Amino acid sequence: MSVALRNAQRAVPVRRAPLRRAVCALRAALGASRFDVGLVCAGNGLMRRLNGAYRQCPEPTDVLSFPFHRVAAGELPRPRCRDEYNLGDIFLGVEYIHQQCRATGEDFDSVLAVTAAHGLCHLLGYRHGTKSEWQQMYRKEAEILEEWNRLTGASLRPLTAGLF
């Protein structure tokens, strides 16, 4: 199925093809290749508005996920018709991520892939509000990033390393 990628910002150049390939590979590693995913590259203004509206935190952030289905962590949705083969939408705060990468010296494209992996896990019910939820999500992120690393020769680690 497809990854619909939209760049809704102009602050940071985004290499769309590598990002789309990464999301496709990460989605496959999750066993969810049959499902569509929407991916929006957003600037700080949009992320601030969305974060304020949905999380009551009017600050820019790196990623927000909006699942199409409600599933328990690690479960795949059970669509009843073709229109339900959708995991949901991920908003990547590319301007925020770029600012963080400039401050830390990390590779922007690598951090985008890690952040997309984090967003995909949220679409599949993973959370990190408690230590046990975080441990479960961290293991899943590490698992799918390990597959990405095997395919690409990269050495990416989960976004939530050291959260608890």
Side-chain angles (χ1 to χ4, degrees):
M1 294 294 131
S2 71
V3 172
L5 193 152
R6 178 173 171 248
N7 189 1
Q9 57 83 49
R10 295 179 187 199
V12 179
V14 176
R15 296 176 47 217
R16 294 168 143 204
L19 180 56
R20 180 172 294 149
R21 278 193 301 273
V23 171
C24 286
L26 294 165
R27 186 182 54 173
L30 283 164
S33 292
R34 300 179 328 206
F35 292 88
D36 295 329
V37 173
L39 189 65
V40 178
C41 296
N44 283 345
L46 177 56
M47 292 304 282
R48 183 180 297 110
R49 287 190 301 278
L50 291 171
N51 208 17
Y54 291 98
R55 298 183 63 234
Q56 291 68 54
C57 183
E59 301 293 328
T61 189
D62 54 356
V63 62
L64 293 169
S65 296
F66 298 94
F68 187 81
H69 300 273
R70 277 196 175 287
V71 294
E75 287 186 9
L76 287 176
R78 295 189 179 127
R80 293 179 306 223
C81 65
R82 172 62 199 114
D83 289 344
E84 292 182 0
Y85 277 85
N86 183 353
L87 291 181
D89 297 318
I90 300 169
F91 284 74
L92 291 176
V94 295
E95 184 177 2
Y96 180 88
I97 294 167
H98 189 261
Q99 290 166 344
Q100 298 297 313
C101 287
R102 283 185 36 212
T104 62
E106 293 181 87
D107 178 67
F108 176 65
D109 291 324
S110 296
V111 175
L112 278 182
V114 170
T115 308
H118 187 82
L120 283 166
C121 286
H122 277 309
L123 293 182
L124 290 176
Y126 290 94
R127 302 284 173 257
H128 47 75
T130 67
K131 185 173 183 176
S132 63
E133 287 175 337
W134 168 77
Q135 289 171 329
Q136 184 181 32
M137 184 166 181
Y138 183 87
R139 281 192 301 272
K140 182 51 74 173
E141 282 185 65
E143 177 186 313
I144 65 173
L145 287 171
E146 184 177 302
E147 176 63 13
W148 175 249
N149 292 339
R150 186 186 68 72
L151 292 171
T152 65
S155 56
L156 304 183
R157 295 184 47 222
L159 185 63
T160 58
L163 185 62
F164 279 92

